Amino acid sequence: SNKVLAQSYCYEVETIGECSSWVKTIYPQYVYANFAEQHIRFWNWIEAIQPEKYSRPYVAIWARGGAKSSSAELAVVRLAAKRAVDYVWYASDIQEQADKHVETIASLLESPTLAQYHPALSRRAIGKYGSSKGWRRNRLRTISGLTVDAIGLDTAVRGAKIEQNRPDFIILDDLDNKSDTRMQVRKKIDILTTNILPAGASNARILFIQNLIHSNSIASQLVGDQAEFLHDRIVDGPHPAIRDLKYELKGGRHVITGGKATWDGQNLQICEQQINTWGITAFLKEAQHEVDEQPGGIWNHVLFQNCRKL
C-alpha cells in the first residue's frame, strides 16, 4: 500500500563505485563534500537504470540546500553518458524554472572534461547547413542523440514529443510552491497526470525530487497515501538537514546546541548560518520538513523510517 511505501523503502547504502568516480572525475567542482546516505541511494538508483528497461519511480524528499537539483541535473548527463536515456523532460512549476535547470545541464554538457571522455555528448547537434538543431534555453540536442526539453506546468503541452519519440526520463523538480492553494495543487496534479506522465515512453523512468513545502503539497501526498499516481514509487525521505535538531536564541542569534547533520555539505555551521539568514520558521519548513503546524495533520498515520532494503 502507499502507507507502506511511505516508510522510506530505498536501496541499501553501498559504495557506488564507478558512478562516484565518474562524477568526481568529470565534475569535481560539484562534489565538494562526501555523499550522504540519501545521495548514495539516489546514485545507486541512477546507476541501476539500463537502456530500454523500466525502473520504479524514485521520490527523493531532501532538505532545501541538500543538493536536490544539482543531483538531478548531473544524473541527466550520467545517464546520457551510459546511453541509458535518449530523451529527457525536465519539468518544474513554471517554464522559467525548468529553463534554468536545462541551462545548467547545458553548462554541464559543455564541460571540457566531459568532452575528453564523451566527445559526442558534449557537442551540439547540427542541421544540414551547420546550424544548431537545438541549443536553446528550453531545449538541448547533442550529436550523441540526447535531447533535453524544459517543461513548465504552466506551459505543458499535451502529448508533446520529438520526432516520434517520447521521453524515457522525466524529472519532476520544484513542482510545489509554498503559496499553492488546494485548488492550485489539484490543478498541478491534473496537468501532471494527464499531460506529462502519459506522454512518457512505456519504460519512462520518473524522478520526483523536492522538499515538502507544505502539508498538502504534491510531495507530501507522495510521501503519504493520498497520491493516486506513481503507485510503485520508492520514497526516500523526508530527510531533514539536521536530525534531532536543538537550538537556542542567544544574543539575538539562533545557536544550534544539538543534532546531527545528514550531509557534510550542509553541516551544522552552514545550517546555523542558514537559520539566521532565512529565519528559524523558514528553515524548519524548508530544511527540516516541519510543515504540519496543527495536530491531526496528514502525518499522524505515517511511521517514518530512515531506510529499509528493497
Side-chain angles (χ1 to χ4, degrees), residues 7-309:
Q7 295 178 357
S8 293
Y9 274 66
C10 51
Y11 289 98
E12 184 178 21
V13 175
E14 299 173 349
T15 301
I16 55 179
E18 180 184 351
C19 182
S20 175
S21 299
W22 184 90
V23 174
K24 291 178 180 179
T25 298
I26 306 295
Y27 302 109
Q29 69 276 28
Y30 282 84
V31 187
Y32 56 86
N34 292 329
F35 289 128
E37 290 187 359
Q38 62 266 28
H39 299 137
I40 294 174
R41 288 190 293 270
F42 168 82
W43 283 107
N44 282 342
W45 180 76
I46 291 295
E47 202 64 9
I49 292 175
Q50 299 298 323
E52 307 300 330
K53 292 185 178 180
Y54 174 78
S55 295
R56 290 172 61 188
Y58 199 90
V59 176
I61 308 298
W62 300 352
R64 184 173 186 180
K68 298 190 304 297
S69 295
S70 295
S71 297
E73 293 155 359
L74 286 167
V76 172
V77 184
R78 174 58 181 164
L79 289 174
K82 290 176 53 183
R83 301 290 181 129
V85 301
D86 297 313
Y87 186 20
V88 180
W89 275 8
Y90 205 116
S92 297
D93 180 17
I94 61 175
Q95 187 65 46
E96 184 180 1
Q97 282 178 301
D99 290 349
K100 289 179 179 179
H101 290 303
V102 169
E103 287 176 342
T104 300
I105 294 171
S107 297
L108 295 173
L109 293 172
E110 292 170 340
S111 162
T113 308
L114 182 71
Q116 295 178 21
Y117 289 87
H118 307 281
L121 181 58
S122 68
R123 294 173 59 188
R124 305 179 184 188
I126 57 175
K128 180 178 179 180
Y129 300 103
S131 60
S132 174
K133 293 180 67 175
W135 204 265
R136 306 187 298 272
R137 62 181 300 168
N138 62 345
R139 167 167 290 179
L140 307 174
R141 301 187 72 182
T142 71
I143 65 171
S144 68
L146 173 68
T147 299
V148 182
D149 275 339
I151 306 291
L153 291 188
D154 57 339
T155 59
V157 178
R158 185 180 180 89
K161 55 186 177 179
I162 178 75
E163 296 179 356
Q164 305 306 312
N165 291 329
R166 292 183 177 273
D168 52 7
F169 188 34
I170 300 176
I171 298 174
L172 309 172
D173 184 5
D174 290 331
L175 295 191
D176 292 315
N177 187 293
K178 63 183 178 182
S179 62
D180 287 341
T181 64
R182 288 184 178 272
M183 184 176 295
Q184 287 172 321
V185 172
R186 287 196 296 269
K187 182 178 179 180
K188 287 183 178 183
I189 291 176
D190 181 65
I191 294 171
L192 178 62
T193 56
T194 61
N195 289 18
I196 294 179
L197 295 179
S202 59
N203 66 327
R205 299 76 159 197
I206 311 296
L207 169 63
F208 182 98
I209 195 161
Q210 178 85 55
N211 53 337
L212 290 185
I213 300 291
H214 57 80
S215 61
N216 189 51
S217 66
I218 299 173
S220 295
Q221 294 187 40
L222 285 169
V223 170
D225 61 359
Q226 292 78 27
E228 297 181 352
F229 53 96
L230 302 182
H231 275 286
D232 60 339
R233 61 191 178 271
I234 299 165
V235 178
D236 191 1
H239 295 291
I242 304 173
R243 298 200 185 279
D244 302 318
L245 170 64
K246 296 179 181 178
Y247 59 91
E248 295 178 1
L249 186 62
K250 297 181 178 180
R253 287 179 55 87
H254 287 93
V255 177
I256 295 175
T257 58
K260 182 178 180 180
T262 56
W263 178 41
D264 291 344
Q266 194 176 17
N267 58 31
L268 295 183
Q269 181 179 0
I270 293 173
C271 286
E272 186 172 295
Q273 180 180 347
Q274 290 171 336
I275 288 172
N276 287 288
T277 300
W278 305 353
I280 186 62
T281 300
F283 182 84
L284 292 177
K285 289 183 178 181
E286 298 284 344
Q288 295 296 105
H289 309 290
E290 294 187 14
V291 296
D292 227 359
E293 298 176 352
Q294 300 297 328
I298 65 173
W299 306 119
N300 287 0
H301 63 290
V302 178
L303 173 63
F304 293 112
Q305 299 175 359
N306 291 339
C307 182
R308 186 170 177 179
K309 187 176 181 180

